[in-house]
Amino acid sequence: MRFYHFARKLVRIYYRIMFRMDIQGEEHIPEEGGVVLCCNHMSNFDPTTMAAFVKREVRYIAKKELFSNRLSAALMYGLGAFPVDRETTDMKALKTAIKLLKNGEVLGIFAEGTRVKEGDAQAAKAGVALFALKGNAPIVPIAISSRYRFRSMVHIRYGEPIYLDEYQGKKVTTEMMEEITERVMQKVREMKVEV
């Protein structure tokens, strides 16, 4: 996707001008094969922050409202996003996500599902675990810490991939998905930096 690469270059330039970057752990993202990037979500900046400094293209699940008109839909598709209806169990979005992972692509997801203010106790959704299990892909936890003020620090921490081999071949249950998601989010919380 040429537009994706062009947009990523622009975002990197913008970030270098607007903020001071502190990035650690990029080497933890597998160079090939399907992988789920799972990140905390505090700001509208987070999707671009998560993907801008990753060498591989990142595909996102985005709320369907962002595809409501032709211009915004073209932009979202150009950035590699695809829509999900958050009001229902969107099987089309689920199948698309799993297919992408099986095809060796990178899926970016915010397990909390929506922006969460610092200190809020928002239960993480189990989708990240379901995608990883069905797509047979590891999960890379990512922690972003920033207030996104001019020349403030943006801390990005990419954790070591979490492989789910121990769960393969077992029946996927709600308890299993919650256990995996909590394991991932605990790692995300551990990597966060005070800002």
Side-chain angles (χ1 to χ4, degrees):
M1 291 183 291
R2 292 180 181 176
F3 180 73
Y4 181 96
H5 295 289
F6 173 71
R8 182 170 60 187
K9 286 180 180 178
L10 287 182
V11 169
R12 286 179 178 177
I13 293 170
Y14 175 81
Y15 272 54
R16 298 291 185 190
I17 293 170
M18 293 295 295
F19 310 116
R20 293 178 295 142
M21 303 304 300
D22 170 32
I23 306 169
Q24 297 180 26
E26 308 101 300
E27 71 277 7
H28 293 315
I29 298 175
E31 294 183 4
E32 58 184 27
V35 60
V36 177
L37 306 183
C38 180
C39 188
N40 60 312
H41 196 11
M42 294 178 58
S43 166
N44 286 328
F45 278 98
D46 293 335
T48 50
T49 305
M50 188 210 293
F53 299 94
V54 174
K55 293 178 182 178
R56 299 177 63 184
E57 291 182 12
V58 181
R59 305 292 302 274
Y60 282 109
I61 303 174
K63 60 184 180 181
K64 69 174 185 178
E65 290 80 5
L66 295 174
F67 297 79
S68 58
N69 64 66
R70 286 186 179 181
L71 182 60
S72 62
L75 176 63
M76 295 305 293
Y77 284 122
L79 292 173
F82 57 96
V84 63
D85 185 346
R86 298 188 298 178
E87 302 301 317
T88 66
T89 302
D90 191 334
M91 294 305 296
K92 183 179 179 181
L94 175 63
K95 290 178 180 178
T96 299
I98 293 169
K99 183 179 179 181
L100 290 172
L101 292 170
K102 287 186 174 180
N103 287 342
E105 297 193 51
V106 180
L107 179 67
I109 187 169
F110 298 94
E112 293 151 328
T114 186
R115 291 191 309 277
V116 178
K117 294 181 180 179
E118 188 68 52
D120 279 2
Q122 169 81 8
K125 298 183 178 180
V128 59
L130 182 61
F131 297 143
L133 287 167
K134 294 291 187 181
N136 195 26
I139 302 170
V140 172
I142 302 173
I144 297 173
S145 309
S146 182
R147 299 194 182 279
Y148 293 109
R149 293 173 181 159
F150 180 65
R151 301 310 296 163
S152 66
M153 292 293 298
V154 176
H155 305 275
I156 309 174
R157 299 288 185 270
Y158 301 97
E160 294 183 7
I162 297 172
Y163 292 90
L164 306 177
D165 298 344
E166 64 197 271
Y167 300 99
Q168 294 301 330
K170 297 181 180 179
K171 181 181 178 182
V172 177
T173 64
T174 301
E175 292 75 16
M176 180 191 294
M177 291 191 294
E178 289 175 350
E179 177 182 315
I180 293 168
T181 305
E182 177 53 31
R183 180 176 162 193
V184 174
M185 295 310 294
Q186 178 59 36
K187 185 61 180 176
V188 171
R189 289 190 288 269
E190 290 172 2
M191 293 190 299
K192 288 186 69 177
V193 176
E194 288 294 327
V195 293

